[in-house]
Amino acid sequence: MQDTEEYTNEQEFNDSTSLSTNNSELQGDLSQLIKNFNKINIKEIDPMIRLNKQENFPIEDFNIIYEFIFKLMNKGLKINSVKQKVIEYFNNYNLNSKEIYNWLIDNHNNSNYIFIFGYFSYYGIAVNENIEKAFNLFINASEENHILAQYFVGHCYRYGNGIMKNEKLAFKYYEKSANKNFSSGQVSIGYFYEKGIVSVKKDFKKAVYWYEKAANNGNLMAIYNLGNCYRNGIGIEKDYNKSFELYKQSAEGGYSSGIMMLGYCYNNGIGTKTDKQKAFKLYQNAANLGHDIAQNNLALMYETGDGISKDIDKAIYWYEKSANQGNGLAMNNLNNLQKKINNL
């Protein structure tokens, strides 16, 4: 879910997805403030972990896996990032995912088990990926008012995963989870209202309402989306200072788009003083996390020597990284740069 705008050869990013803001500048080395998701402490996310390699997999502790997924999703991590964290979880605690899957085959008799059985099938964990089977399992669990299952049913309908795409039903299932105070569902509902998807009438105020609810639940994507709303005056009065602080909050939580847009603010003096060095560090952090727009913007700084030493080789490297992810502007920038080099 993303909407990009272009400013000359640089890009900003809009990703729709208690708020505490202040006007203080970032202190010290910005790179020390960026806590990317690859460094998330599993015990911090889920202090209830009791499993270790000496234990057999206890039935009474099975819900811990569900709680782990729930907390990561509620934090605003993107679905594929959550999948990686789940795999790391199994590795860190020497849990045999194949044994867990085999146990589930005969024991998916409550909604948490059904959901996790579907989750394994959806991502091909310990078994070949089977999104049709996963969708049916998610539907079964959702009928028992399982929050994550309802969200995943919405996700499947939204993108046509395992079932024919149906955005009206996607909204219905996202709404079920949102009404149970699940922050990822709230972000999705906000996005539907912001963009006016299918049968949902565009309503910026409702979009802000749902983003705020999700942000109050600590959802980093929602905090980032609110930053976009304040910057663009979507459903709320334009306020660059609040926008900057929300991007900062999202960035400090490790959300790559927040890191990128915080760099954009420093690069262009939005809600703060222009600081090319801070912009460079933030673009670099987001680029290293795989953010294609940050990669393009970092390449542009290297190409033009804007605030840093010009380095054409590094510019080409980052343009290529971004272009390989399908970023059209990076493709054009790379092509234009190569033409300049050939004409020298």
Side-chain angles (χ1 to χ4, degrees):
M1 302 178 207
Q2 69 182 45
D3 174 46
T4 59
E5 300 176 45
E6 299 178 3
Y7 285 75
T8 61
N9 289 331
E10 186 185 18
Q11 290 175 291
E12 62 173 324
F13 184 65
N14 298 323
D15 185 3
S16 302
T17 32
S18 78
L19 283 183
S20 174
T21 59
N22 58 67
N23 292 318
S24 64
E25 293 288 346
L26 288 172
Q27 301 294 318
D29 186 352
L30 281 170
S31 64
Q32 296 303 308
L33 289 172
I34 304 304
K35 305 177 183 70
N36 65 62
F37 293 153
N38 291 328
K39 295 180 181 178
I40 285 178
N41 185 328
I42 288 177
K43 290 183 180 179
E44 246 178 53
I45 292 290
D46 193 346
M48 299 174 65
I49 292 173
R50 301 184 295 278
L51 302 176
N52 60 55
K53 62 184 179 182
Q54 279 76 41
E55 294 178 303
N56 292 320
F57 191 73
I59 295 174
E60 63 271 18
D61 284 339
F62 201 97
N63 289 346
I64 293 174
I65 294 175
Y66 165 72
E67 291 166 3
F68 182 62
I69 296 170
F70 185 94
K71 289 181 180 181
L72 291 173
M73 294 284 294
N74 220 33
K75 187 177 176 66
L77 272 71
K78 295 175 182 178
I79 285 183
N80 285 335
S81 296
V82 175
K83 169 196 171 184
Q84 294 304 316
K85 292 297 172 188
V86 170
I87 292 172
E88 288 175 19
Y89 177 103
F90 290 148
N91 292 336
N92 289 341
Y93 288 90
N94 291 326
L95 299 177
N96 188 314
S97 58
K98 185 63 176 177
E99 287 181 3
I100 295 170
Y101 181 82
N102 289 338
W103 184 88
L104 284 167
I105 291 173
D106 298 319
N107 293 279
H108 53 283
N109 52 2
N110 78 28
S111 59
N112 278 355
Y113 298 173
I114 296 169
F115 168 76
I116 295 170
F117 196 32
Y119 193 86
F120 275 48
S121 297
Y122 190 82
Y123 286 115
I125 298 173
V127 67
N128 291 332
E129 181 182 296
N130 188 333
I131 56 175
E132 290 83 7
K133 177 180 179 179
F135 174 78
N136 289 329
L137 288 163
F138 291 150
I139 279 285
N140 288 341
S142 73
E143 289 172 353
E144 297 183 32
N145 290 317
H146 191 278
I147 296 173
L148 270 185
Q150 290 171 339
Y151 177 84
F152 269 84
V153 170
H155 184 77
C156 289
Y157 274 124
R158 174 79 172 91
Y159 296 101
N161 295 339
I163 190 69
M164 185 176 294
K165 184 175 179 177
N166 187 323
E167 290 176 323
K168 186 174 182 179
L169 286 175
F171 180 85
K172 173 185 174 182
Y173 279 94
Y174 282 148
E175 190 173 41
K176 286 176 183 287
S177 68
N179 286 334
K180 295 183 177 71
N181 211 31
F182 181 57
S183 70
S184 289
Q186 292 166 339
V187 173
S188 297
I189 290 298
Y191 181 78
F192 268 65
Y193 278 120
E194 181 184 349
K195 302 301 178 183
I197 296 174
V198 192
S199 60
V200 179
K201 185 178 179 181
K202 188 177 289 189
D203 189 324
F204 293 145
K205 289 190 181 300
K206 284 185 179 178
V208 169
Y209 168 81
W210 284 107
Y211 289 156
E212 285 181 336
K213 284 184 75 70
N216 286 332
N217 285 326
N219 188 292
L220 297 171
M221 185 184 293
I223 294 167
Y224 167 81
N225 287 355
L226 271 182
N228 285 338
C229 291
Y230 275 109
R231 181 172 54 83
N232 295 315
I234 295 174
I236 202 164
E237 187 175 350
K238 188 178 290 188
D239 188 325
Y240 290 139
N241 290 330
K242 285 186 178 179
S243 176
F244 172 82
E245 292 300 332
L246 288 163
Y247 289 143
K248 175 185 171 185
Q249 189 176 345
S250 177
E252 289 174 346
Y255 189 63
S256 63
S257 296
I259 298 169
M260 195 286 298
M261 277 305 299
L262 189 62
Y264 185 85
C265 288
Y266 276 117
N267 202 39
N268 295 280
I270 298 172
T272 188
K273 293 179 181 178
T274 300
D275 189 323
K276 299 292 183 178
Q277 287 300 308
K278 287 182 179 179
F280 171 77
K281 288 181 180 180
L282 287 158
Y283 283 158
Q284 191 173 51
N285 271 284
N288 286 330
L289 290 173
H291 198 287
D292 64 304
I293 295 175
Q295 291 167 346
N296 172 76
N297 292 354
L298 181 62
L300 184 62
M301 292 189 81
Y302 275 123
E303 180 186 354
T304 60
D306 183 17
I308 60 169
S309 299
K310 185 182 290 190
D311 191 323
I312 299 302
D313 288 338
K314 287 182 179 178
I316 291 172
Y317 172 82
W318 286 110
Y319 278 142
E320 286 179 342
K321 294 280 281 187
S322 181
N324 287 339
Q325 294 194 68
N327 188 296
L329 188 55
M331 293 177 194
N332 290 335
N333 289 341
L334 178 61
N335 185 51
N336 291 335
L337 176 57
Q338 289 173 333
K339 284 180 180 177
K340 289 178 187 177
I341 293 172
N342 292 334
N343 289 332
L344 291 177

Short mmCIF file of all heavy atoms in Angstrom, two decimals, residues 185-242:
data_model
loop_
_atom_site.label_atom_id
_atom_site.label_comp_id
_atom_site.label_asym_id
_atom_site.label_seq_id
_atom_site.Cartn_x
_atom_site.Cartn_y
_atom_site.Cartn_z
N GLY A 185 -5.17 -3.69 11.77
CA GLY A 185 -6.49 -3.55 11.16
C GLY A 185 -6.92 -2.09 11.12
O GLY A 185 -7.51 -1.63 10.14
N GLN A 186 -6.60 -1.35 12.17
CA GLN A 186 -6.96 0.07 12.22
C GLN A 186 -6.22 0.87 11.15
O GLN A 186 -6.80 1.75 10.51
CB GLN A 186 -6.65 0.61 13.62
CG GLN A 186 -7.56 0.03 14.69
CD GLN A 186 -7.07 0.28 16.11
OE1 GLN A 186 -5.89 0.56 16.34
NE2 GLN A 186 -7.98 0.19 17.07
N VAL A 187 -4.94 0.55 10.94
CA VAL A 187 -4.17 1.22 9.89
C VAL A 187 -4.80 0.93 8.52
O VAL A 187 -4.94 1.83 7.68
CB VAL A 187 -2.70 0.75 9.89
CG1 VAL A 187 -1.96 1.31 8.68
CG2 VAL A 187 -2.00 1.19 11.15
N SER A 188 -5.18 -0.32 8.29
CA SER A 188 -5.76 -0.70 7.01
C SER A 188 -7.08 0.01 6.77
O SER A 188 -7.36 0.47 5.65
CB SER A 188 -5.96 -2.22 6.94
OG SER A 188 -4.71 -2.89 7.02
N ILE A 189 -7.92 0.12 7.80
CA ILE A 189 -9.19 0.83 7.67
C ILE A 189 -8.92 2.31 7.36
O ILE A 189 -9.58 2.91 6.51
CB ILE A 189 -10.02 0.71 8.97
CG1 ILE A 189 -10.51 -0.73 9.14
CG2 ILE A 189 -11.20 1.67 8.95
CD1 ILE A 189 -11.43 -1.20 8.04
N GLY A 190 -7.94 2.89 8.03
CA GLY A 190 -7.58 4.27 7.77
C GLY A 190 -7.15 4.47 6.33
O GLY A 190 -7.52 5.46 5.68
N TYR A 191 -6.39 3.51 5.81
CA TYR A 191 -5.92 3.60 4.42
C TYR A 191 -7.09 3.53 3.45
O TYR A 191 -7.14 4.27 2.46
CB TYR A 191 -4.94 2.46 4.14
CG TYR A 191 -4.38 2.49 2.74
CD1 TYR A 191 -3.37 3.38 2.40
CD2 TYR A 191 -4.86 1.63 1.75
CE1 TYR A 191 -2.85 3.41 1.11
CE2 TYR A 191 -4.35 1.67 0.47
CZ TYR A 191 -3.34 2.56 0.15
OH TYR A 191 -2.85 2.59 -1.13
N PHE A 192 -8.05 2.64 3.71
CA PHE A 192 -9.23 2.55 2.84
C PHE A 192 -9.97 3.88 2.81
O PHE A 192 -10.42 4.33 1.75
CB PHE A 192 -10.16 1.44 3.32
CG PHE A 192 -9.90 0.09 2.69
CD1 PHE A 192 -8.70 -0.57 2.91
CD2 PHE A 192 -10.85 -0.51 1.88
CE1 PHE A 192 -8.45 -1.81 2.33
CE2 PHE A 192 -10.61 -1.75 1.30
CZ PHE A 192 -9.40 -2.40 1.53
N TYR A 193 -10.13 4.51 3.96
CA TYR A 193 -10.82 5.81 4.01
C TYR A 193 -9.99 6.91 3.34
O TYR A 193 -10.54 7.79 2.68
CB TYR A 193 -11.13 6.20 5.46
CG TYR A 193 -12.38 5.55 6.00
CD1 TYR A 193 -12.33 4.71 7.12
CD2 TYR A 193 -13.62 5.78 5.41
CE1 TYR A 193 -13.49 4.12 7.62
CE2 TYR A 193 -14.78 5.18 5.90
CZ TYR A 193 -14.70 4.36 7.00
OH TYR A 193 -15.86 3.76 7.49
N GLU A 194 -8.69 6.85 3.51
CA GLU A 194 -7.83 7.88 2.89
C GLU A 194 -7.90 7.82 1.37
O GLU A 194 -7.97 8.85 0.69
CB GLU A 194 -6.38 7.72 3.36
CG GLU A 194 -5.46 8.78 2.77
CD GLU A 194 -4.00 8.58 3.14
OE1 GLU A 194 -3.71 7.75 4.02
OE2 GLU A 194 -3.15 9.26 2.54
N LYS A 195 -7.90 6.61 0.83
CA LYS A 195 -7.85 6.44 -0.63
C LYS A 195 -9.22 6.26 -1.26
O LYS A 195 -9.36 6.32 -2.48
CB LYS A 195 -6.96 5.24 -0.99
CG LYS A 195 -5.54 5.36 -0.47
CD LYS A 195 -4.84 6.60 -0.99
CE LYS A 195 -3.44 6.74 -0.42
NZ LYS A 195 -2.76 7.97 -0.87
N GLY A 196 -10.26 6.03 -0.46
CA GLY A 196 -11.59 5.80 -1.02
C GLY A 196 -11.64 4.55 -1.86
O GLY A 196 -12.09 4.56 -3.01
N ILE A 197 -11.21 3.45 -1.28
CA ILE A 197 -11.10 2.18 -2.03
C ILE A 197 -12.46 1.51 -2.16
O ILE A 197 -13.17 1.28 -1.18
CB ILE A 197 -10.09 1.23 -1.35
CG1 ILE A 197 -8.69 1.85 -1.40
CG2 ILE A 197 -10.08 -0.14 -2.01
CD1 ILE A 197 -7.64 1.07 -0.65
N VAL A 198 -12.83 1.20 -3.38
CA VAL A 198 -14.04 0.47 -3.75
C VAL A 198 -15.28 1.14 -3.15
O VAL A 198 -15.57 2.28 -3.45
CB VAL A 198 -13.95 -1.02 -3.36
CG1 VAL A 198 -15.08 -1.82 -4.00
CG2 VAL A 198 -12.64 -1.62 -3.84
N SER A 199 -15.99 0.43 -2.28
CA SER A 199 -17.27 0.93 -1.78
C SER A 199 -17.12 1.90 -0.62
O SER A 199 -18.10 2.45 -0.13
CB SER A 199 -18.15 -0.25 -1.34
OG SER A 199 -17.51 -0.97 -0.30
N VAL A 200 -15.88 2.12 -0.17
CA VAL A 200 -15.65 3.01 0.96
C VAL A 200 -15.46 4.43 0.43
O VAL A 200 -14.55 4.71 -0.34
CB VAL A 200 -14.40 2.59 1.75
CG1 VAL A 200 -14.16 3.55 2.91
CG2 VAL A 200 -14.56 1.17 2.27
N LYS A 201 -16.34 5.32 0.85
CA LYS A 201 -16.25 6.71 0.42
C LYS A 201 -15.04 7.37 1.06
O LYS A 201 -14.78 7.21 2.24
CB LYS A 201 -17.53 7.47 0.81
CG LYS A 201 -17.58 8.89 0.29
CD LYS A 201 -18.90 9.56 0.68
CE LYS A 201 -18.95 10.99 0.18
NZ LYS A 201 -20.23 11.66 0.57
N LYS A 202 -14.28 8.11 0.26
CA LYS A 202 -13.09 8.79 0.77
C LYS A 202 -13.49 9.73 1.90
O LYS A 202 -14.41 10.53 1.77
CB LYS A 202 -12.42 9.57 -0.35
CG LYS A 202 -11.07 10.17 0.02
CD LYS A 202 -10.42 10.88 -1.17
CE LYS A 202 -9.93 9.89 -2.22
NZ LYS A 202 -9.12 10.56 -3.26
N ASP A 203 -12.80 9.59 3.02
CA ASP A 203 -13.12 10.40 4.19
C ASP A 203 -11.83 10.61 4.99
O ASP A 203 -11.41 9.75 5.75
CB ASP A 203 -14.18 9.70 5.06
CG ASP A 203 -14.73 10.58 6.17
OD1 ASP A 203 -13.95 11.37 6.74
OD2 ASP A 203 -15.93 10.45 6.49
N PHE A 204 -11.20 11.76 4.78
CA PHE A 204 -9.91 12.02 5.40
C PHE A 204 -9.99 12.08 6.92
O PHE A 204 -9.07 11.65 7.62
CB PHE A 204 -9.31 13.32 4.86
CG PHE A 204 -8.92 13.25 3.41
CD1 PHE A 204 -9.05 14.36 2.59
CD2 PHE A 204 -8.43 12.07 2.85
CE1 PHE A 204 -8.70 14.30 1.25
CE2 PHE A 204 -8.07 12.00 1.51
CZ PHE A 204 -8.21 13.13 0.71
N LYS A 205 -11.08 12.61 7.44
CA LYS A 205 -11.21 12.71 8.90
C LYS A 205 -11.29 11.32 9.53
O LYS A 205 -10.72 11.07 10.60
CB LYS A 205 -12.42 13.56 9.28
CG LYS A 205 -12.24 15.04 8.97
CD LYS A 205 -13.34 15.88 9.55
CE LYS A 205 -13.17 17.35 9.22
NZ LYS A 205 -11.88 17.90 9.75
N LYS A 206 -12.01 10.41 8.87
CA LYS A 206 -12.07 9.04 9.38
C LYS A 206 -10.71 8.36 9.26
O LYS A 206 -10.33 7.55 10.12
CB LYS A 206 -13.15 8.24 8.64
CG LYS A 206 -14.57 8.58 9.08
CD LYS A 206 -15.58 7.67 8.41
CE LYS A 206 -17.00 7.99 8.88
NZ LYS A 206 -18.01 7.13 8.21
N ALA A 207 -9.99 8.67 8.18
CA ALA A 207 -8.66 8.10 8.02
C ALA A 207 -7.77 8.52 9.18
O ALA A 207 -7.09 7.69 9.81
CB ALA A 207 -8.04 8.57 6.70
N VAL A 208 -7.78 9.81 9.51
CA VAL A 208 -6.98 10.31 10.63
C VAL A 208 -7.43 9.68 11.95
O VAL A 208 -6.60 9.29 12.79
CB VAL A 208 -7.07 11.86 10.71
CG1 VAL A 208 -6.45 12.37 12.02
CG2 VAL A 208 -6.35 12.49 9.52
N TYR A 209 -8.74 9.52 12.10
CA TYR A 209 -9.29 8.91 13.32
C TYR A 209 -8.69 7.52 13.53
O TYR A 209 -8.23 7.18 14.63
CB TYR A 209 -10.81 8.82 13.22
CG TYR A 209 -11.47 7.96 14.28
CD1 TYR A 209 -11.71 8.45 15.55
CD2 TYR A 209 -11.83 6.63 14.00
CE1 TYR A 209 -12.30 7.65 16.53
CE2 TYR A 209 -12.42 5.83 14.96
CZ TYR A 209 -12.65 6.34 16.23
OH TYR A 209 -13.23 5.55 17.18
N TRP A 210 -8.68 6.71 12.48
CA TRP A 210 -8.17 5.33 12.62
C TRP A 210 -6.65 5.30 12.75
O TRP A 210 -6.10 4.48 13.49
CB TRP A 210 -8.64 4.48 11.44
CG TRP A 210 -10.08 4.09 11.57
CD1 TRP A 210 -11.14 4.58 10.86
CD2 TRP A 210 -10.63 3.17 12.51
NE1 TRP A 210 -12.31 4.00 11.28
CE2 TRP A 210 -12.04 3.13 12.30
CE3 TRP A 210 -10.09 2.36 13.51
CZ2 TRP A 210 -12.89 2.32 13.04
CZ3 TRP A 210 -10.93 1.54 14.26
CH2 TRP A 210 -12.32 1.53 14.02
N TYR A 211 -5.96 6.20 12.04
CA TYR A 211 -4.51 6.26 12.20
C TYR A 211 -4.15 6.64 13.64
O TYR A 211 -3.20 6.10 14.22
CB TYR A 211 -3.91 7.28 11.24
CG TYR A 211 -3.91 6.88 9.78
CD1 TYR A 211 -3.87 7.84 8.77
CD2 TYR A 211 -3.95 5.54 9.39
CE1 TYR A 211 -3.88 7.49 7.43
CE2 TYR A 211 -3.95 5.17 8.06
CZ TYR A 211 -3.92 6.16 7.07
OH TYR A 211 -3.92 5.80 5.74
N GLU A 212 -4.91 7.57 14.21
CA GLU A 212 -4.64 7.99 15.59
C GLU A 212 -4.88 6.85 16.57
O GLU A 212 -4.11 6.65 17.51
CB GLU A 212 -5.49 9.20 15.95
CG GLU A 212 -5.00 10.50 15.33
CD GLU A 212 -5.84 11.70 15.72
OE1 GLU A 212 -7.03 11.50 16.08
OE2 GLU A 212 -5.33 12.83 15.66
N LYS A 213 -5.96 6.09 16.35
CA LYS A 213 -6.23 4.95 17.24
C LYS A 213 -5.09 3.95 17.17
O LYS A 213 -4.62 3.43 18.20
CB LYS A 213 -7.57 4.29 16.84
CG LYS A 213 -8.80 5.05 17.29
CD LYS A 213 -10.07 4.30 16.96
CE LYS A 213 -10.32 3.11 17.87
NZ LYS A 213 -10.67 3.51 19.24
N ALA A 214 -4.62 3.65 15.97
CA ALA A 214 -3.52 2.69 15.80
C ALA A 214 -2.22 3.26 16.38
O ALA A 214 -1.44 2.54 17.01
CB ALA A 214 -3.34 2.35 14.33
N ALA A 215 -1.99 4.55 16.18
CA ALA A 215 -0.78 5.19 16.72
C ALA A 215 -0.78 5.14 18.24
O ALA A 215 0.25 4.91 18.87
CB ALA A 215 -0.68 6.62 16.22
N ASN A 216 -1.95 5.34 18.83
CA ASN A 216 -2.06 5.27 20.29
C ASN A 216 -1.80 3.86 20.81
O ASN A 216 -1.49 3.67 21.99
CB ASN A 216 -3.45 5.75 20.74
CG ASN A 216 -3.59 7.25 20.64
OD1 ASN A 216 -2.62 7.98 20.73
ND2 ASN A 216 -4.81 7.72 20.43
N ASN A 217 -1.92 2.88 19.92
CA ASN A 217 -1.58 1.50 20.26
C ASN A 217 -0.12 1.19 19.96
O ASN A 217 0.31 0.04 20.05
CB ASN A 217 -2.48 0.52 19.51
CG ASN A 217 -3.88 0.45 20.09
OD1 ASN A 217 -4.06 0.58 21.30
ND2 ASN A 217 -4.89 0.27 19.24
N GLY A 218 0.65 2.22 19.58
CA GLY A 218 2.09 2.05 19.35
C GLY A 218 2.46 1.56 17.97
O GLY A 218 3.60 1.14 17.75
N ASN A 219 1.53 1.63 17.01
CA ASN A 219 1.80 1.12 15.67
C ASN A 219 2.66 2.12 14.90
O ASN A 219 2.26 3.25 14.64
CB ASN A 219 0.47 0.89 14.94
CG ASN A 219 0.66 0.18 13.61
OD1 ASN A 219 1.21 0.72 12.68
ND2 ASN A 219 0.17 -1.05 13.53
N LEU A 220 3.87 1.70 14.52
CA LEU A 220 4.84 2.58 13.88
C LEU A 220 4.38 3.05 12.50
O LEU A 220 4.65 4.19 12.11
CB LEU A 220 6.19 1.87 13.77
CG LEU A 220 6.85 1.49 15.09
CD1 LEU A 220 8.06 0.60 14.84
CD2 LEU A 220 7.25 2.73 15.87
N MET A 221 3.70 2.18 11.76
CA MET A 221 3.20 2.57 10.45
C MET A 221 2.14 3.66 10.60
O MET A 221 2.10 4.62 9.82
CB MET A 221 2.61 1.36 9.71
CG MET A 221 2.18 1.66 8.29
SD MET A 221 1.39 0.24 7.47
CE MET A 221 2.78 -0.89 7.34
N ALA A 222 1.28 3.53 11.60
CA ALA A 222 0.23 4.53 11.82
C ALA A 222 0.84 5.87 12.21
O ALA A 222 0.39 6.93 11.76
CB ALA A 222 -0.72 4.05 12.91
N ILE A 223 1.87 5.83 13.05
CA ILE A 223 2.56 7.06 13.45
C ILE A 223 3.14 7.74 12.22
O ILE A 223 3.03 8.96 12.04
CB ILE A 223 3.66 6.75 14.49
CG1 ILE A 223 3.01 6.25 15.79
CG2 ILE A 223 4.53 7.97 14.76
CD1 ILE A 223 3.99 5.62 16.78
N TYR A 224 3.74 6.94 11.35
CA TYR A 224 4.28 7.45 10.09
C TYR A 224 3.18 8.05 9.21
O TYR A 224 3.32 9.14 8.65
CB TYR A 224 5.00 6.32 9.36
CG TYR A 224 5.32 6.65 7.93
CD1 TYR A 224 6.43 7.42 7.61
CD2 TYR A 224 4.50 6.20 6.90
CE1 TYR A 224 6.71 7.74 6.30
CE2 TYR A 224 4.77 6.52 5.59
CZ TYR A 224 5.88 7.28 5.29
OH TYR A 224 6.16 7.60 3.99
N ASN A 225 2.06 7.33 9.09
CA ASN A 225 0.96 7.81 8.26
C ASN A 225 0.40 9.13 8.79
O ASN A 225 0.01 10.01 8.01
CB ASN A 225 -0.16 6.77 8.20
CG ASN A 225 0.20 5.58 7.34
OD1 ASN A 225 1.25 5.56 6.71
ND2 ASN A 225 -0.64 4.56 7.33
N LEU A 226 0.33 9.27 10.11
CA LEU A 226 -0.11 10.53 10.69
C LEU A 226 0.85 11.66 10.32
O LEU A 226 0.43 12.80 10.09
CB LEU A 226 -0.20 10.42 12.21
CG LEU A 226 -1.52 9.94 12.81
CD1 LEU A 226 -1.41 9.95 14.34
CD2 LEU A 226 -2.69 10.81 12.37
N GLY A 227 2.13 11.33 10.26
CA GLY A 227 3.11 12.31 9.82
C GLY A 227 2.80 12.81 8.41
O GLY A 227 2.88 14.01 8.12
N ASN A 228 2.41 11.88 7.55
CA ASN A 228 2.02 12.26 6.18
C ASN A 228 0.79 13.16 6.20
O ASN A 228 0.70 14.13 5.44
CB ASN A 228 1.71 11.01 5.35
CG ASN A 228 2.95 10.25 4.93
OD1 ASN A 228 4.04 10.81 4.90
ND2 ASN A 228 2.79 8.98 4.63
N CYS A 229 -0.18 12.82 7.05
CA CYS A 229 -1.41 13.62 7.13
C CYS A 229 -1.12 15.05 7.57
O CYS A 229 -1.64 16.01 7.00
CB CYS A 229 -2.41 12.96 8.07
SG CYS A 229 -3.10 11.39 7.47
N TYR A 230 -0.27 15.20 8.58
CA TYR A 230 0.08 16.55 9.05
C TYR A 230 0.90 17.30 7.99
O TYR A 230 0.74 18.51 7.82
CB TYR A 230 0.87 16.47 10.36
CG TYR A 230 -0.01 16.39 11.58
CD1 TYR A 230 -0.11 15.21 12.32
CD2 TYR A 230 -0.75 17.50 12.00
CE1 TYR A 230 -0.92 15.13 13.46
CE2 TYR A 230 -1.56 17.43 13.13
CZ TYR A 230 -1.64 16.25 13.85
OH TYR A 230 -2.46 16.19 14.97
N ARG A 231 1.76 16.60 7.28
CA ARG A 231 2.60 17.28 6.28
C ARG A 231 1.78 17.75 5.09
O ARG A 231 2.01 18.83 4.54
CB ARG A 231 3.71 16.35 5.81
CG ARG A 231 4.66 16.97 4.78
CD ARG A 231 5.85 16.07 4.51
NE ARG A 231 5.42 14.74 4.13
CZ ARG A 231 5.07 14.39 2.90
NH1 ARG A 231 5.07 15.27 1.93
NH2 ARG A 231 4.71 13.14 2.65
N ASN A 232 0.80 16.94 4.70
CA ASN A 232 0.01 17.26 3.52
C ASN A 232 -1.34 17.91 3.83
O ASN A 232 -2.08 18.26 2.91
CB ASN A 232 -0.23 15.98 2.70
CG ASN A 232 1.07 15.42 2.14
OD1 ASN A 232 1.89 16.14 1.60
ND2 ASN A 232 1.27 14.11 2.29
N GLY A 233 -1.67 18.04 5.13
CA GLY A 233 -2.97 18.61 5.50
C GLY A 233 -4.12 17.71 5.09
O GLY A 233 -5.15 18.17 4.62
N ILE A 234 -3.97 16.41 5.30
CA ILE A 234 -4.99 15.43 4.94
C ILE A 234 -5.85 15.13 6.16
O ILE A 234 -5.40 14.49 7.11
CB ILE A 234 -4.36 14.13 4.41
CG1 ILE A 234 -3.61 14.39 3.11
CG2 ILE A 234 -5.43 13.06 4.20
CD1 ILE A 234 -2.84 13.19 2.60
N GLY A 235 -7.08 15.64 6.17
CA GLY A 235 -8.01 15.37 7.26
C GLY A 235 -7.67 16.10 8.55
O GLY A 235 -8.31 15.87 9.58
N ILE A 236 -6.66 16.96 8.50
CA ILE A 236 -6.20 17.66 9.69
C ILE A 236 -5.41 18.88 9.22
O ILE A 236 -4.92 18.91 8.09
CB ILE A 236 -5.33 16.71 10.55
CG1 ILE A 236 -5.28 17.18 12.00
CG2 ILE A 236 -3.94 16.53 9.97
CD1 ILE A 236 -4.80 16.10 12.94
N GLU A 237 -5.31 19.88 10.06
CA GLU A 237 -4.59 21.09 9.67
C GLU A 237 -3.11 20.80 9.45
O GLU A 237 -2.48 20.09 10.23
CB GLU A 237 -4.75 22.16 10.76
CG GLU A 237 -4.17 23.52 10.37
CD GLU A 237 -4.45 24.58 11.41
OE1 GLU A 237 -5.24 24.31 12.35
OE2 GLU A 237 -3.86 25.68 11.31
N LYS A 238 -2.57 21.34 8.37
CA LYS A 238 -1.17 21.11 8.03
C LYS A 238 -0.27 21.65 9.14
O LYS A 238 -0.46 22.76 9.64
CB LYS A 238 -0.85 21.81 6.71
CG LYS A 238 0.53 21.49 6.14
CD LYS A 238 0.75 22.17 4.80
CE LYS A 238 -0.11 21.57 3.71
NZ LYS A 238 0.25 22.10 2.37
N ASP A 239 0.69 20.84 9.53
CA ASP A 239 1.60 21.23 10.61
C ASP A 239 2.93 20.50 10.39
O ASP A 239 3.07 19.32 10.72
CB ASP A 239 1.00 20.88 11.98
CG ASP A 239 1.81 21.43 13.14
OD1 ASP A 239 3.05 21.49 13.03
OD2 ASP A 239 1.20 21.79 14.16
N TYR A 240 3.91 21.20 9.84
CA TYR A 240 5.18 20.58 9.51
C TYR A 240 5.96 20.14 10.75
O TYR A 240 6.66 19.13 10.72
CB TYR A 240 6.05 21.53 8.68
CG TYR A 240 5.55 21.75 7.27
CD1 TYR A 240 5.58 23.01 6.69
CD2 TYR A 240 5.05 20.69 6.51
CE1 TYR A 240 5.13 23.22 5.40
CE2 TYR A 240 4.59 20.88 5.22
CZ TYR A 240 4.63 22.16 4.67
OH TYR A 240 4.17 22.34 3.39
N ASN A 241 5.81 20.89 11.84
CA ASN A 241 6.52 20.52 13.07
C ASN A 241 6.01 19.18 13.62
O ASN A 241 6.80 18.31 14.01
CB ASN A 241 6.37 21.61 14.12
CG ASN A 241 7.14 22.87 13.77
OD1 ASN A 241 8.16 22.81 13.09
ND2 ASN A 241 6.65 24.01 14.21
N LYS A 242 4.69 19.01 13.65
CA LYS A 242 4.12 17.75 14.12
C LYS A 242 4.49 16.61 13.16
O LYS A 242 4.77 15.49 13.60
CB LYS A 242 2.61 17.87 14.27
CG LYS A 242 2.18 18.66 15.49
CD LYS A 242 0.67 18.63 15.67
CE LYS A 242 0.25 19.39 16.92
NZ LYS A 242 -1.22 19.40 17.11
#
